[in-house]
């Protein structure tokens, strides 16, 4: 499907789709539009998110308290608003190429149903960076006679 050509033409404010649709499109975007700097930015943000999540666990050993504290502060700094804005810079031009300069997505809704795969966190982060908006995940039940979220 030519989803990004349609997005440029229609200029929607949100996208909805399944995890499998987003998987193919995001993989294609990564290969075609994201360079070394974009991959580095993604890896830094991914590390910071994992570190902040792990920092909330109290299972770390006492020997590495100072080092862990420093790493947690660095991760929080990477996720702060000014640093995030700077780390997202490599994705601005690819986003304009893909979506058009006038399209402003407010959110992306990834729908998962029974028997389908959920949207992995890594792909969710890639989507957030490439599309420049929050990604909401939802489970849908079609057995109720229609789409129920």
């Amino acid at each position: 499907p030519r989803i990004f050509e349609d997005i440029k033409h229609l200029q929607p404010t949100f996208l909805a789709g399944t995890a499998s649709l987003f998987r193919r499109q995001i993989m294609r975007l990564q290969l075609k539009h994201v360079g070394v700097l974009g991959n580095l930015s993604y890896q830094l943000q991914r590390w910071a998110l994992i570190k902040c999540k792990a920092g909330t666990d109290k299972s770390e050993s006492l020997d590495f308290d100072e080092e862990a504290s420093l790493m947690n502060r660095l991760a929080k700094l990477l996720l702060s608003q000014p640093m995030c804005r700077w780390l997202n810079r490599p994705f601005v031009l690819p986003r304009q190429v893909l979506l058009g300069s006038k399209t402003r997505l407010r959110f992306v809704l990834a729908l998962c149903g029974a028997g389908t795969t959920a949207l992995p966190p890594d792909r969710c982060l890639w989507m957030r960076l490439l599309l420049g908006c929050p990604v909401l995940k939802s489970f849908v039940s079609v057995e109720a006679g229609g789409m129920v979220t």
Side-chain angles (χ1 to χ4, degrees):
R2 301 199 174 273
I3 189 169
F4 291 103
E5 286 80 9
D6 292 341
I7 290 172
K8 279 184 192 177
H9 177 69
L10 297 172
Q11 297 178 357
T13 58
F14 75 93
L15 291 179
T18 62
S20 60
L21 169 74
F22 290 128
R23 180 188 72 233
R24 281 176 279 183
Q25 297 300 327
I26 295 301
M27 288 174 67
R28 193 174 303 150
L29 292 176
Q30 284 173 268
L31 294 173
K32 188 174 180 181
H33 293 285
V34 178
V36 175
L37 196 55
N39 281 317
L40 179 62
S41 174
Y42 164 78
Q43 291 296 335
L44 281 170
Q45 291 187 51
R46 182 175 176 265
W47 173 84
L49 287 169
I50 290 170
K51 194 59 156 167
C52 281
K53 185 177 179 181
T56 60
D57 297 338
K58 301 298 181 195
S59 60
E60 297 177 16
S61 72
L62 296 175
D63 296 337
F64 299 105
D65 264 349
E66 196 170 305
E67 182 181 337
S69 175
L70 178 64
M71 291 299 204
N72 284 338
R73 279 188 261 145
L74 180 60
K76 286 178 184 177
L77 175 68
L78 286 174
L79 295 175
S80 69
Q81 188 67 21
M83 192 62 101
C84 260
R85 205 173 302 130
W86 183 78
L87 285 171
N88 288 338
R89 295 299 269 167
F91 300 102
V92 172
L93 186 59
R95 186 178 310 130
Q96 288 178 351
V97 168
L98 296 169
L99 303 177
S101 60
K102 295 182 181 181
T103 302
R104 298 284 182 261
L105 292 174
R106 290 183 297 139
F107 64 92
V108 173
L109 179 60
L111 303 171
C112 302
T116 63
T117 60
L119 188 66
D122 286 350
R123 193 171 315 133
C124 190
L125 179 59
W126 270 114
M127 288 173 62
R128 186 174 62 105
L129 294 172
L130 284 169
L131 301 175
C133 63
V135 177
L136 309 174
K137 297 184 250 183
S138 178
F139 182 76
V140 240
S141 173
V142 292
E143 293 84 8
M147 294 276 276
V148 178
T149 57

